[in-house]
Structures are given as structure tokens and as C-alpha cells.
Amino acid sequence: MVKGFLSRVVPQGAFFRSLFQSAFTFSVSEDLLTSATFNFANPRHHVVGADCVSQTIPAREVKGLSDEEILALFTSGFFGGFVFRAESWVLNLLGARYLPARYTAFRPGPDAVIVRRASAIPNRSLLPVGSLLFNSFLLVDKHAKTEAETETLSSEKISSKTLAAGSEASSYVDYGFGSDEARFAGCHRIKVTRLAPADNGERADGGQVRIDLEHFRCNPQENKPSWAEKHQTLHYVYAKSLFANGMQALLAR
């Protein structure tokens, strides 16, 4: 337990490696932009800003972990780590009033919970759909591949075409923010894709696993860019740092 706590709140080598090794792009999968989460947050399909931070690691680094455990560990570092700490305090105090996460067409599940403390974020399982984190992040959707599905994918090569199809070869969890009744809304999608080993000696090593943090934001009320587009540099630094904190929780577990 102590090791898991330190993997979130104290910068370690995995954090700094991720800062340098992760890639940042201004594109996300078509799967996210046609998802139920996208339609909840952006029902009028207004213009969006989007980006993705990703990192590919050897499968041996997450050996023994299911897709859901990978997503949960990353979530615990993303929302429960030192990078997000100040924001979580502010959102606990003011988020419900000034930046609530709610969508007109979305209905939370009966077992949804409210999380206000970082220590309450599970690191081995995902929260139920409809759960609310720090008043401002709503778990809208999730899909974690079963062990049988994972084994099937691991025994086959995943082509670039399949990867482009998004969740067909991936497990994911969507955390929505903002409201379709306000001028700001969007989603963070954490995605896990297991890449089958190549025939160049990689097969004995178990292949690779790609972690993506996909993000979109919009103005649901007016068909124009959201205010966040004016802060691209700050967003780049913050997104890379949040991603690195998630990777640290995953790799330094």
C-alpha cells in the first residue's frame, strides 16, 4: 500500500522517462469522435479541439495485469497524483458550482459513487459508470477486454488499419467534464492497446503495449472553438505531466 501511495505522490524515474518518451499529437481516433461520450458532451457536433499523449512500452512491464488493472492504475496516478493535486482541491471546493460534469442525455448507473479523495480511487478496478470524481469528472463509459479477448489479440498481429479503428483492438475508459448546457465540455479517454509481437525476436519478449490519453474539448452552445484553445502551451505541459503521473503509478506499482 505504501509503495502504491508513493507511486502517485512522489516523482520517480518513471515520471521523468515518460515526459521524454511520450509523444504529443493534435489528433485522436475516429472512434472517440463518434462515441457515445462525444455525443453526450457535444450533442450538436460543434467544432472541437483534440490532442493525444501516447507511449509504447514493452509488455513485460505490465506483465500479469489485465486491461482493467492497467486502466485503473493509470487513473489512480492521473487523478490521484501530485500533478493533479492542486486542481482536485479547487474542484472539491468549487467544481460542483462552477464546473459540474453533467450531460442532459446521460443517466448514471445505479451503483455510481462520488469520489472526493484521491485515496478513494481504486487502483485495481474501474469505478462504476456514472461515478463522479472531484465534482467535475464523470465516468461516462468504459470497456475492458476480457482475458480471453486479450489472449486472442496477443496471438495475432494488429495492423495499423486495426489500430486506426480505435476501441476494436483496445480497452478504454472515458472521463467527461463540463456540460452540454454550458460553454465548455469534453472528455479524457485513457486507452490500452496490446500490440502483437513482430517476427524479429520481439515475440519472445511478449510484444508491446500502447497507452493513449486522448482528449477533446468544445463549446456545446456555440459552434466556435472553446476558450481552452487560447492556452495551447499550458495545456501541452499539463497534459504531458498528467500522463507521466499516470504512467508512474502504472510502472512503479
Side-chain angles (χ1 to χ4, degrees), residues 51-175:
D51 53 69
C52 176
V53 185
S54 61
Q55 185 175 350
T56 301
I57 59 175
R60 65 175 181 275
E61 296 195 28
V62 290
K63 185 177 181 180
L65 295 178
S66 67
D67 283 10
E68 180 169 8
E69 289 174 319
I70 292 174
L71 291 169
L73 280 162
F74 189 100
T75 293
S76 73
F78 185 93
F79 287 111
F82 55 88
V83 176
F84 190 74
R85 187 58 55 88
E87 184 176 349
S88 68
W89 289 339
V90 173
L91 292 176
N92 267 329
L93 290 173
L94 305 173
R97 180 174 180 180
Y98 295 105
L99 195 62
R102 57 172 177 253
Y103 307 123
T104 305
F106 178 78
R107 298 292 180 270
D111 52 352
V113 299
I114 297 175
V115 172
R116 294 191 175 91
R117 295 178 295 107
S119 59
I121 301 174
N123 60 10
R124 292 289 170 168
S125 61
L126 293 170
L127 292 165
V129 170
S131 294
L132 188 65
L133 286 79
F134 308 111
N135 293 316
S136 294
F137 290 92
L138 183 67
L139 200 162
V140 181
D141 191 18
K142 63 179 179 178
H143 173 69
K145 288 191 174 296
T146 65
E147 185 176 346
E149 289 175 311
T150 299
E151 288 177 353
T152 299
L153 285 171
S154 297
S155 65
E156 301 173 355
K157 278 196 174 182
I158 300 176
S159 67
S160 58
K161 183 178 180 180
T162 304
L163 280 176
S167 63
E168 290 182 10
S170 306
S171 296
Y172 64 87
V173 57
D174 291 346
Y175 297 101

Side-chain angles (χ1 to χ4, degrees), residues 199-212:
D199 294 325
N200 57 1
E202 193 181 85
R203 186 168 297 277
D205 203 30
Q208 296 180 309
V209 174
R210 174 171 167 167
I211 313 295
D212 293 293

Side-chain angles (χ1 to χ4, degrees), residues 28-29 32 51-52 187-189 191 212-216:
V28 295
S29 64
L32 176 58
D51 53 69
C52 176
C187 166
H188 298 303
R189 168 172 284 191
K191 187 167 68 175
D212 293 293
L213 172 62
E214 296 186 314
H215 167 84
F216 76 81

Side-chain angles (χ1 to χ4, degrees), residues 24-36:
F24 183 95
T25 59
F26 289 103
S27 62
V28 295
S29 64
E30 185 66 20
D31 185 72
L32 176 58
L33 299 179
T34 57
S35 65

Side-chain angles (χ1 to χ4, degrees), residues 31-50:
D31 185 72
L32 176 58
L33 299 179
T34 57
S35 65
T37 301
F38 183 89
N39 290 321
F40 286 134
N42 189 17
R44 300 173 185 85
H45 289 199
H46 287 171
V47 62
V48 300

